[in-house]
Amino acid sequence: MSRCLQVIADDLSGAAECAAALAQASVSPAPLVVKGPLPIGGNWVVDSDSRAQDAAVAVARVAAIVRDASTHRASGDLLFKKIDSTLRGHVAEELRAVLEVPDAVHAAIVCPALPTQGRTLKEGVLHVHGQPRLGAGGLPVNLMNLLAPVDDGALLLRPPHGQTAASLARELLSVLERGTRVIAVDASDAEDLRRLALAIVIVSRTVRLLAVGAAGLCKALATELLQAGGPEHPMLAPSRDHPPIVAVVGSFSPVTTQQVDELAGQPDVHVARLDPSTWLESPVVVEQTVATAQACAERGDPVVLAVTGNAPAASSRALVQRMAEAAEPLLRRASTLVLTGGDTARSVLDRLGVERLQVLGELEPGICLSRDGARFVVTKAGGFGDSQSLVRVLRHLRNVSGGKPSPEGKE
């Protein structure tokens, strides 16, 4: 029996990561739904755009998607709830919302580990590059504390080294048979995620599960569940006829700040950075900034519109919406958009009226290339990559799009 993987992500950059995993594992790529109705059956990914919303709005959106999905899901299909690997957003509230939809799922298995970005789960505590992530009050972020309000019987499993997927599946089934509805599982590396994914696939043959995690678990599940074995989808290159590349960077992550600093040091890349108050309250300065960027784009140079300084005290959604609004004429002329930050990507695509993306794959881990008709879209979460990631992405895009060659003349 053919089985499908259907993904609900809480932001757009994470949704693109999951869609890239499905594209790599499946014969036919899964559509990424930005807005509008879900596909009827098959593999798909939808961005609920709930992380940046109030909890009540987030819960309502996720519940509505699950109810819609449940009307068309085949018995063997697996539902995946993509969450942030550092547990930002409304993780508990959205999980409870899914569990409360009648007959949608019977239980949830949770693992937010993303080893490729240094995020692991040990003894239920979230670690980033080997160090416990600290939350409110300077205390380590413990997943079990987060899950307790969802299910006071939530259980943590710590699979021993060398345990097989079949053995882990039996353990999961035993716990579920005792009435537990939420199980968290430690994971430190890709092999842990592969074992967990295979165990979930085994258990989901008889129990209607919700798998919950970051892109690492989604990728492992796509590989184990779909196993198409077909050729990889071609990583199409942006058109040579329309070289302008426009990047919008709305993330305040220190990693992103380093990446933009490196771009600013590149010849023939125009970087314009304004602080939040200028973007929001100085329309004349913003208009001049965008006009200068547009002139550079017309010469064939990549342009980067970014934020600098400190993040606004309130939600950053208004800021990135303003950036998208101001840059709209420039964005519409671009052949390729590079969007850093899930809120940034959502705001730009909403402004352009994009409803679905065809995700082609990853340029680097967590940096996804998608297509919207003739336009290409690169998405990246703010904290992903190293200091040179955006330099490498723009260099690749310029070489394949017919723009000016990089100074080194090579990738």
Side-chain angles (χ1 to χ4, degrees), residues 74 83 125 144 162 168 293 302 327 365 407:
I83 60 174
V125 174
M144 302 312 295
L168 178 57

Side-chain angles (χ1 to χ4, degrees), residues 96-407:
R96 185 187 301 112
V98 179
L99 291 172
E100 290 178 351
V101 174
D103 301 321
V105 297
H106 297 148
I109 297 176
V110 186
C111 180
L114 185 58
T116 57
Q117 300 295 332
R119 289 94 189 264
T120 59
L121 192 70
K122 183 177 180 181
E123 299 291 327
V125 174
L126 181 66
H127 288 67
V128 179
H129 298 298
Q131 299 299 315
R133 179 174 175 83
L134 303 182
L139 298 175
V141 176
N142 191 309
L143 177 61
M144 302 312 295
N145 294 337
L146 196 67
L147 297 179
V150 181
D151 177 7
D152 56 10
L155 185 70
L156 173 67
L157 295 186
R158 310 171 183 85
H161 180 72
Q163 184 180 25
T164 66
S167 172
L168 178 57
R170 289 192 294 271
E171 187 174 2
L172 289 170
L173 275 171
S174 176
V175 173
L176 293 171
E177 288 170 355
R178 296 199 296 268
T180 300
R181 296 201 72 194
V182 179
I183 304 173
V185 183
D186 278 349
S188 298
D189 55 31
E191 179 56 27
D192 287 346
L193 289 179
R194 186 204 66 80
R195 173 181 55 187
L196 175 59
L198 183 52
I200 290 173
V201 169
I202 293 170
V203 174
S204 65
R205 293 171 184 159
T206 55
V207 179
R208 199 161 215 193
L209 288 179
L210 172 71
V212 183
L217 182 57
C218 185
K219 291 175 183 179
L221 281 169
T223 299
E224 298 298 335
L225 184 68
L226 303 179
Q227 294 183 341
E232 291 188 3
H233 301 291
M235 186 70 74
L236 301 177
S239 169
R240 291 180 177 273
D241 298 328
H242 304 285
I245 299 167
V246 178
V248 183
V249 181
S251 170
F252 289 89
S253 162
V255 173
T256 296
T257 299
Q258 292 179 343
Q259 292 167 350
V260 176
D261 286 344
E262 293 296 331
L263 284 176
Q266 299 298 306
D268 301 326
V269 176
H270 176 77
V271 175
R273 289 185 276 198
L274 301 176
D275 60 41
S277 62
T278 304
W279 277 113
L280 291 167
E281 301 168 9
S282 302
V284 173
V285 175
V286 170
E287 183 178 350
Q288 293 171 342
T289 299
V290 173
T292 300
Q294 190 157 340
C296 293
E298 289 172 355
R299 294 198 301 265
D301 293 340
V303 300
V304 181
L305 302 177
V307 291
T308 189
N310 297 320
S315 169
S316 63
R317 180 59 66 94
L319 169 63
V320 291
Q321 287 175 338
R322 173 58 184 145
M323 294 173 71
E325 176 188 20
E328 182 176 353
L330 179 58
L331 298 172
R332 289 194 179 278
R333 294 191 59 190
S335 68
T336 304
L337 302 174
V338 179
L339 309 175
T340 292
D343 279 357
T344 306
R346 163 59 74 162
S347 296
V348 168
L349 296 183
D350 280 352
R351 191 74 194 178
L352 297 177
V354 175
E355 295 191 351
R356 290 195 182 192
L357 290 173
Q358 178 190 2
V359 180
L360 304 170
E362 291 183 313
L363 298 174
E364 295 188 8
I367 304 179
C368 303
L369 177 66
S370 304
R371 189 170 187 172
D372 166 41
R375 177 169 48 212
F376 287 77
V377 180
V378 176
T379 52
K380 185 188 80 69
F384 282 13
D386 58 38
S387 64
Q388 295 293 315
S389 290
L390 286 181
V391 171
R392 291 192 298 271
V393 167
L394 259 64
R395 183 179 301 157
H396 169 77
L397 294 173
R398 296 182 78 181
N399 285 347
V400 299
S401 67
K404 298 177 183 179
S406 61

Side-chain angles (χ1 to χ4, degrees), residues 2-9 15 18-19 22 30-31 38-47 65-82 98 104-105 208-212 218 221-222 225-226:
S2 175
R3 305 181 66 188
C4 297
L5 185 59
Q6 299 166 344
V7 180
I8 303 171
C18 294
L22 269 64
L38 296 177
I40 297 176
N43 300 313
W44 48 257
V45 179
V46 61
D47 172 26
I65 292 171
V66 173
R67 285 193 295 268
D68 187 9
S70 296
T71 62
H72 304 296
R73 282 175 64 204
S75 60
D77 293 346
L78 180 62
L79 189 63
F80 183 82
K81 181 69 183 70
K82 196 277 178 188
V98 179
V105 297
R208 199 161 215 193
L209 288 179
L210 172 71
V212 183
C218 185
L221 281 169
L225 184 68
L226 303 179

